[in-house]
DNA sequence: TATGAACATGTAAATAAATACATGTTTTTG
DNA sequence: CAAAAACATGTATTTATTTACATGTTCATA
């Protein structure tokens, strides 16, 4: 997909925590969320405008100093609805951006049963994937021989397996 | 970046191994490379056309059955040059797509000193990143308290740390 | 109190990527 | 041998993302 509007969900999730400016939202991608998703301010400001037109969010103005008026955005009921719907949908395993992690970031302690369902679902999907990767390893690199002539391929597959294994171990700690 | 033309390097890397059709190239993203990068055939066919115009690749025709004529693409010297130059450049840590892994995939046994340099470089960058993540953990979640009220944030950071640790361990095995 | 860093908000242009549209051939298999 | 699956190659449209352009304010600090 051209990434099914996931940035919109991130914005909603962040505004669901607290009111923020476009600048605040942009900064969120420098730390936490930046580990799993990226966005520029030039993507965020137009998106905020669009989302406000669609009544998902609104803004109030905050006076700073003598001249500057910040726009602080707030989530509205329509926004809350589509955000919560997104949380309940299954997450795609995408190998680049990680949708599950995003949802996890926004899960709060009020939804333990949703968290449990999400983790179980992801655990199942990731286990299937690991199984598939192990099968590939058995098929493509059964002996030392090909591991040397196609060393790059072997390393990459080994890393994919290592990554999935680590992911699954981490899932089990949630 | 709008991903600095990395798809072009992947195509060059694959054609550097052997002559392939657009369909073959597309399929490569279903397995191995698909673990770390994605592309659709609608991206690949126009790119092949463009790269041929730029003399990076050429094609020869292969008759299949009675009617079908496949186009099989071959890398040319200009293509080889820019591919090898890319291999030598430092790889960005991007948190979504993984450029280092891509390069590793294409490294062959003829370049052990380049491999060594690449791994050392990546090890250094990843270690710095892990250090930074650990610092964040110490700053944001010093005690059990905040780990519970911001459980999602905590999990995500923990996963980033786990991921980097696993990455570094894997790097050491190369 | 100057000055640089960080805050703050936008738009424009270019590139990258996904989805949908379109069409036809070859191979496998029931 | 019919049908389905896989092979094969494109284009068009929409969406997503990056880089660059553009401008101004506030805050910390030397």
């Amino acid at each position: 997909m051209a990434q099914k509007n996931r940035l919109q969900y991130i914005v909603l999730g962040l505004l669901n925590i607290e009111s923020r400016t476009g600048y605040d939202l942009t900064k969120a991608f420098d730390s936490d969320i930046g580990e799993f998703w990226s966005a520029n301010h030039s993507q965020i400001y137009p998106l905020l405008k669009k989302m406000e037109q669609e009544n998902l969010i609104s803004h109030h103005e905050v006076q700073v100093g003598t001249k500057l008026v910040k726009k602080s955005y707030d989530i509205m009921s329509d926004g809350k609805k589509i955000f919560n719907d997104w949380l309940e949908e299954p997450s795609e395993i995408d190998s680049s951006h990680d949708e599950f992690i995003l949802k996890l970031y926004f899960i709060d302690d009020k939804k333990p049963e949703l968290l449990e369902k999400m983790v179980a679902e992801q655990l199942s999907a990731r286990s299937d994937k690991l199984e598939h990767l192990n099968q590939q390893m058995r098929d493509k690199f059964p002996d030392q021989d090909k591991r040397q002539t196609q060393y790059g391929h072997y390393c990459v597959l080994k890393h994919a397996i290592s990554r999935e294994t680590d992911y699954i171990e981490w899932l089990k700690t949630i």
Side-chain angles (χ1 to χ4, degrees), chain A residues 93-108:
Chain A
I93 297 179
D94 171 309
S95 93
S96 44
H97 284 128
D98 192 321
E99 189 174 23
F100 174 76
I101 300 258
L102 282 185
K103 290 184 183 177
L104 183 58
Y105 184 86
F106 294 118
I107 276 282
D108 56 45

Side-chain angles (χ1 to χ4, degrees), chain A residues 8-9 12 56 77-86:
Chain A
Q8 175 170 286
Y9 297 118
L12 287 172
L56 305 181
S77 58
D78 284 7
K80 282 185 184 178
K81 179 166 186 340
I82 73 162
F83 171 70
N84 283 311
D85 287 351
W86 174 67

Side-chain angles (χ1 to χ4, degrees), chain A residues 42-60:
Chain A
S42 57
Q43 231 183 316
I44 288 169
Y45 285 107
L47 178 60
L48 287 170
K49 194 191 251 184
K50 179 176 159 270
M51 288 169 74
E52 188 163 35
Q53 277 164 8
E54 290 167 356
N55 263 287
L56 305 181
I57 59 176
S58 61
H59 79 268
H60 63 275

Side-chain angles (χ1 to χ4, degrees), chain A residues 21 59-72:
Chain A
T21 64
H59 79 268
H60 63 275
E61 304 198 325
V62 179
Q63 184 87 31
V64 180
T66 51
K67 292 184 174 180
L68 188 60
V69 177
K70 291 199 295 190
K71 288 186 187 174
S72 195

Side-chain angles (χ1 to χ4, degrees), chain A residues 113-158:
Chain A
E113 73 291 333
L114 175 57
L115 180 61
E116 213 175 307
K117 193 191 119 215
M118 278 169 59
V119 171
E121 205 173 76
Q122 189 73 192
L123 202 48
S124 162
R126 292 275 172 181
S127 299
D128 288 352
K129 189 173 174 184
L130 179 57
E131 185 48 52
H132 174 251
L133 289 171
N134 277 321
Q135 188 57 51
Q136 267 197 274
M137 183 60 100
R138 283 191 294 271
D139 290 350
K140 292 188 182 171
F141 303 101
D143 44 55
Q144 209 60 32
D145 193 39
K146 282 191 179 166
R147 291 182 191 183
Q148 259 160 11
T149 53
Q150 299 190 67
Y151 191 59
H153 297 35
Y154 169 68
C155 281
V156 166
L157 187 51
K158 197 169 72 166

